[in-house]
Each structure stands twice: as C-alpha cells, then as structure tokens.
Amino acid sequence: MAGPSSRLHPPGEHEVHVWVGSVASAAGYITQFQELLSDDENARASKFRFDKNRHEFIVSRGMLRTLLASYLGGSAAGLRFTYSAYGKPRLEEAKNPGILTFNLSHSDGVIVCAFARNREVGVDVEKMRQDFSTEEIAERFFSAGERIALRALPAEHRRQGFFNCWTRKEAYIKARGEGLSLPLHQFDVSLSPAEHRRQGFFNCWTRKEAYIKARGEGLSLPLPQFDVSLSPAEPAALLRTRPDANEASRWSLHDLEVPPGYAAALAVEIGRSTSSALAAPDVSTG
C-alpha cells in the first residue's frame, strides 16, 4: 500500500480505523516515503544494517505520516511528533484538533496502523516464526494463568496460541504507553486459537445430549438449566489485571485480519474510570 491520495474522514468517537499494508506493495515508493520523514527518523533508518529492515522502517513511518496527513489535512512531511517517557509518539497538539490517537506496528514486511479519537489505542503484529522459542519466552514473560492455558492447548495449536497471547499483551502495553515498566506477568489475556470454536460448540452439544439421555428425561429437562465444560476458543480479551482488578474492564482487545503466517491484535480504551466509560468502538479495517 502506497497510501491514500485524497482526504480521509477521521474515525468518529465510537470508531477505530485499522490499516494493513505491506512493504512489498510499496516497493516502488521507498524514495517518496523517505522524503516524508523527519531528520531524526532518517537518522534511525540509516542505522539499520540490512536494506530489508531499513525499507520496512521507512515504509511504515511513511505510511503512518501519509494516513495522518490524509485524516488531518496538510503536509505529511510537516507533521511533528512528541514522545512520552516510554517512547510512545503523539502529534503536536496544535496540529491535532479532535485529538486523533494512533499506533503503529510492523513485522517481516507487514505493517498495521490504528487510529481513534480521544481514546488510547495499541496495535501489534508478529510474524509467527517457526524458529521462535515459544516455550522459553512464555515461561519468562507470560503470567501463570497464561502459561497454564498455553500448555492446555493441543500441540498443533500452541504456536498460534503463543502468538495470540504475545500480540494481545503487546497491544495492551502499547496502548497504555508505559513500555515494559508495566510487567507482562501482571495481567492475563485470552490466547486460544479461533479454530477451537466449532469444536467447542460440538463438545458442548454432545455432552449435553449424553447427560439428558443418561437421565432419560428427554427435553423435559431444559438445556439451559445446566452447564457443561466445552473449552471453546476465547475471543480476544483482557481477562485479569493486577493489582487493580478494575483495569481489565477499561479495555477491549480485538484480533485483526492479517496475511497467513502472522498474528495481530488491537487494544482500545473503552473507559478512563468506572464513572466515565466510553462505548466499545466499532473496528474497521482498510
């Protein structure tokens, strides 16, 4: 994706816009994107040893600037960022009426940008590499509950489960903007792959049927009056936060549709406090 050429309507109060692009589709625009970058961005780009990594940085930052300029009007090259103590970028307030928030992630040629209004967002995309030491990293960085959930998955789904967990955790800490000062083991996210949902449904159905047949009462025993285990895939969710248990209710997590072989997640603020909640947003992907 080389970036839109016309003005875009910014996300509304209850919307999040997500853009997915690739370095390959922008291969002919490397020079144009580089001309949009600031001196400090170009200095960072020059430090990459390999062209592949340097081009990915240039395209991702150029794509971000192009989209921001299309939302706000004005020059992509003229945008100026400020950075938090932990490195999270924001636009200078004078050039950001309506407080457009954004976040960027890229991995092995795939780029994801998220945009919202007056709410924090975080996004992460990861290539699901086969040579990644998933078990070792999970033991080091996942919470106890997440490690148990990961080990409970069938072996063939653990890699997907690991990257679901990793991208959801990364998206959340990026939305919070506190970097690794927020310990990864202090919160739990869901991680089960979506492939388990159909299996979970039929697990539930057959277990309910077996029980009522054993009871011999047919449908005179209403199905909603009892529960069985089913182990379905959990949707992306921030399950628990410590030490503030209420923090989990202030955020929503979403899986994002990205090319095969990648995993991606979005974290969105839905309330700054228990008394001033924002509605859960609609997420649209471009």
Side-chain angles (χ1 to χ4, degrees), residues 32-47:
Q32 292 94 317
F33 275 142
Q34 188 161 14
E35 291 172 351
L36 302 179
L37 305 191
S38 64
D39 289 343
D40 67 297
E41 287 171 322
N42 275 310
R44 289 174 63 187
S46 69
K47 293 179 181 178

Side-chain angles (χ1 to χ4, degrees), residues 7-261:
R7 184 75 183 265
L8 294 170
H9 185 70
E13 289 287 343
H14 304 301
E15 296 177 323
V16 177
H17 293 179
V18 177
W19 293 80
V20 179
S22 71
V23 177
S25 66
Y29 298 89
I30 301 293
T31 301
Q32 292 94 317
F33 275 142
Q34 188 161 14
E35 291 172 351
L36 302 179
L37 305 191
S38 64
D39 289 343
D40 67 297
E41 287 171 322
N42 275 310
R44 289 174 63 187
S46 69
K47 293 179 181 178
F48 287 99
R49 181 179 178 184
F50 299 108
D51 286 347
K52 174 184 176 182
N53 304 114
R54 183 167 56 255
H55 291 168
E56 185 169 304
F57 177 84
I58 291 169
V59 172
S60 63
R61 299 294 291 206
M63 175 178 165
L64 174 65
R65 283 177 169 273
T66 301
L67 288 166
L68 284 169
S70 297
Y71 281 127
L72 299 172
S75 165
L79 294 172
R80 294 293 178 265
F81 299 105
T82 61
Y83 295 87
S84 72
Y86 300 102
K88 185 173 183 178
R90 294 183 184 277
L91 284 172
E92 290 182 342
E93 290 188 16
K95 295 188 177 181
N96 189 15
I99 313 300
L100 185 68
T101 59
F102 60 90
N103 203 234
L104 167 70
S105 182
H106 53 88
S107 177
D108 201 37
V110 171
I111 304 164
V112 181
C113 299
F115 301 88
R117 184 186 297 276
N118 292 314
R119 66 173 87 221
E120 297 296 342
V121 291
V123 69
D124 188 55
V125 61
E126 299 290 343
K127 173 73 171 179
M128 294 191 293
R129 291 165 39 192
Q130 294 298 317
D131 61 345
F132 211 62
S133 302
T134 55
E135 292 185 10
E136 179 181 335
I137 293 171
E139 286 299 318
R140 184 176 177 186
F141 293 109
F142 288 8
S143 69
E146 289 165 342
R147 294 195 301 271
I148 291 170
L150 184 62
R151 287 194 291 266
L153 291 175
E156 65 270 22
H157 293 304
R158 282 181 197 149
R159 182 167 298 276
Q160 177 73 60
F162 170 87
F163 281 102
N164 284 353
C165 187
W166 186 261
T167 55
R168 293 167 190 177
K169 290 177 88 68
E170 281 283 325
Y172 173 61
I173 63 173
K174 290 179 70 178
R176 287 278 300 265
E178 299 172 35
L180 291 178
S181 68
L182 179 65
L184 291 172
H185 65 270
Q186 282 194 356
F187 61 95
D188 303 336
V189 300
S190 59
L191 54 96
S192 297
E195 290 89 331
H196 286 300
R197 288 177 188 153
R198 181 174 297 275
Q199 182 66 55
F201 168 82
F202 284 106
N203 286 351
C204 181
W205 185 259
T206 55
R207 291 167 192 176
K208 279 181 171 283
E209 283 282 324
Y211 176 65
I212 62 174
K213 290 173 75 175
R215 287 279 298 266
E217 298 175 33
L219 291 180
S220 66
L221 179 63
L223 294 176
Q225 283 192 1
F226 63 97
D227 301 331
V228 298
S229 64
L230 55 133
S231 301
E234 298 162 299
L238 181 60
L239 301 175
R240 288 168 291 276
T241 49
R242 296 172 291 277
D244 180 5
N246 291 324
E247 177 69 13
S249 65
R250 299 175 192 143
W251 299 87
S252 65
L253 295 185
H254 305 262
D255 288 328
L256 299 176
E257 187 174 338
V258 287

